[in-house]
Amino acid sequence: MINVRELAKRATETRAEERLGRQISLPWAAAVNIAIRNVTIRLGRAAITASGVVLGIAFLSYIWTAKVCQDAIEHDLARKARIAEIEQKAAEGQVIVPGAEEAAEEAQARAARQSWLVVMSLLVCAVGISNSMLMSVTERFREIGTMKCLGALDSFIVRIFLVEALLIGLLGSVVGVVLGHLGGLLMYSWRAGWDLPAKISWPAMLTYLAASVVIGAVIALLAAILPAVRAAQMPAAAALRSEI
Amino acid sequence: MAKIKCDKCSKEIETWGVVTVCPDCGADLQDQVREAERVTVAKAAEMVKDESATTHEFIVRTRGLTKVYKMGEVEVPALRGVDLDIRRGEYLSIMGPSGSGKSTLFNMIGGLDKPSSGSCFIDEVDLAQLTAFELAWLRCRKIGYIFQTFNLIPVMTALENVTLPMIFAGMSSDEMLERGRMLLELVGLGDRLNHKPFELSGGQQQRVAIARALANSPSIILADEPTGNLDLVTGKEIIALLKELNVGSGVTIISATHDLKMIDVSDRVVHIRDGQIERIERRSEIELQVGRLGEEEAG
Ligand SMILES: Nc1ncnc2c1ncn2[C@@H]1O[C@H](COP(=O)(O)OP(=O)(O)O)[C@@H](O)[C@H]1O
Ligand SMILES: [Mg+2]
């Protein structure tokens, strides 16, 4: 039988000298731990949030994959044209540059159109993420209030939600990049020949893909800041009262 | 508690205002009882005042505390001038019907909400003067909260719930786990460390919440209707546990309730109604009342 009184005494003994004085803190490791749990437990909600990122980033990486593929195809065509030109020159002693300026203009117009599409898709993606972050924050008002009662500063709450958003953003972006990239590569290879992957510039491709992941994560972070800050600033009593 | 004499048969009766007829001759003594009650209340008020004059061992003091909630155009007064002194190590119950302002008072004392006017002092520190950081520190180290709805973090195990406030307090992880285990053992859940809240019964969840409230050795435990969602037996067990902690460690317990059966452990009972203190009963009076309740149940 446990001696309850004795335990109670030990449990509530103040050990001031052992404590680190007046500090309160939430180490990053603990925040990451809590965020991972929140994501894995609410997998459904996380998947909905992540799907916004997946779509946006898949589109972005598709466009960039397409760009690299087209560059490779054009480069290839230009090389063939040059070879043809040289052969022609050798044969006829004439100089013919077929439509070089037109091709450059068209490429430029296409790039501008694509940038617009990318910007739009990223905006849609950001709105989607902030919306689902807002929902997941609202769902957890009471939890936030409880954490505040336990001594959490507003910044701890923000930190937990931002780490969560970053996790979701990274996961969603990686999935999105894989989908978008494979989709783009398959489509262009089908059009331009299955040896296309050997012709494209892989350093450029990888840079674009890495950039897509980073952009996805950053957008998820930015989109989460507002809901997280708003939730954290709620007075503890109000947060506790909310019924969900 | 009041002693009155029946004016028909001269029998001496002790009453709490529950019994208003003479048990011997059946005469109606309502007026006499009311008058006696008024005198008792006045006397109790005086006694409390006396005590506050002789000692400064008050861990919580409120002065002229008011709270008005604004709901659009409508103003709802939830507290209307509460002066309350709570002694260190005391077990204080706040009784009152639903909507009387218990939770509002609880929020003010716990630094969870700001009063519309008046002040609340914890250890003679005015809560209104504290920065957000100091308030968080206070909630983390000085006060343990227990709620009617338990409010455990659903994604965390019992042990993780209990150690969360220790993370905020910057405790090392070994110390944290050891202390968490010890606290859960203390509340009788040594074998439920890794259960999630939904895997525990209501009473067990409330025990986890009590262990969590003790995480950083608070001086005060604030409990807002801790038994409100529990059946009678489980509720009594929770109250007994709180009392054990109170006696064993000297932690001050402030508990809001509207269940009369939960007050026999209290050193004092503060009755509030419509946001005002109606009367304050002391231990001796409570014991007599509880005795009477018991007699009535038995007889
Ligand atoms: N956040 C709030 N907004 C508006 N009115 C409130 C709020 N909190 C409490 N009240 C009102 O204040 C009064 C006291 O409420 P409360 O302190 O919760 O009572 P109790 O806990 O004793 O049941 C009630 O009339 C309630 O409707
Ligand atoms: Mg209440």
Side-chain angles (χ1 to χ4, degrees), chain A residues 11-12 22 25 37 142, chain B residues 137 141 149 160 168 179 249:
Chain A
T12 50
R22 302 204 130 241
S25 63
R37 244 154 229 288
R142 190 197 283 269
Chain B
W137 186 88
R141 307 287 187 94
T149 47
E160 285 163 342
F168 296 155
R179 189 172 164 78
S249 67

Side-chain angles (χ1 to χ4, degrees), chain B residues 221-234:
Chain B
I221 288 186
L222 274 176
D224 191 3
E225 312 214 14
T227 60
N229 275 1
L230 303 176
D231 62 66
L232 184 66
V233 176
T234 318

Side-chain angles (χ1 to χ4, degrees), chain A residues 241, chain B residues 97-104 106 148 224-225 256 258:
Chain A
R241 259 178 76 90
Chain B
S98 176
S100 56
K102 301 184 295 294
S103 298
T104 309
F106 175 96
Q148 178 174 357
D224 191 3
E225 312 214 14
H258 60 241

